[in-house]
Amino acid sequence: MGKAFTLILGGVRSGKSDLAQKLATQAGGRVAFLATAEAGDGEMADRIRKHRATRPAGWQTIEAPTGVADALERQAPRATTVVIDCVTLWVANLLGQCFPAGSDEPDAVAAEGLVAQEIGALHDWYRGS
């Protein structure tokens, strides 16, 4: 069987993570769970703690708010199933790197370039793995 790619979309707290974990469990093999969330406040720290507790013990957890492809390349070369949770937070983390000093708005050109670069790197990793 060839590679499969599944994108799960939905609103905040709609069950995307639960579905992704269910599908990864069904797929079997070596599962790498790449978490993009950062604990910026107590509520997010609590959500991260709860998410960690629901993952199977045998799964490898990689925490990478950005540099997703590089983290997968370095830390999960033998994974047969990869869950990236969550793409929305990943993109938000990238946008957060594109604020010029003293500005309330990201540099749109820099943001577009950085997001395109990271998505391109993930695509290359996926095709090459």
Side-chain angles (χ1 to χ4, degrees), residues 28-116:
R30 291 187 175 112
V31 178
F33 186 97
L34 189 136
T36 61
E38 295 183 286
D41 60 27
E43 179 185 353
M44 189 55 130
D46 188 48
R47 288 180 65 195
I48 290 170
R49 229 180 341 272
K50 288 177 182 176
H51 269 259
R52 283 181 184 146
T54 66
R55 281 182 227 138
W59 288 13
Q60 177 186 9
T61 297
I62 302 165
E63 295 183 356
T66 61
V68 166
D70 185 50
L72 289 169
E73 180 73 31
R74 285 183 289 107
Q75 298 180 48
R78 296 175 51 203
T80 56
T81 301
V82 174
V83 175
I84 300 174
D85 188 7
C86 133
V87 173
T88 301
L89 290 176
W90 175 37
V91 172
N93 294 335
L94 293 170
L95 294 178
Q97 295 180 2
C98 297
F99 282 80
S103 175
D104 291 343
E105 297 290 324
D107 177 331
V109 172
E112 182 178 353
L114 183 57
V115 171

Side-chain angles (χ1 to χ4, degrees), residues 2-21:
K3 289 184 181 184
F5 178 89
T6 303
L7 176 64
I8 301 170
L9 302 173
V12 174
R13 299 181 189 179
S14 63
K16 297 179 302 292
S17 296
D18 291 340
L19 178 57
Q21 288 185 31

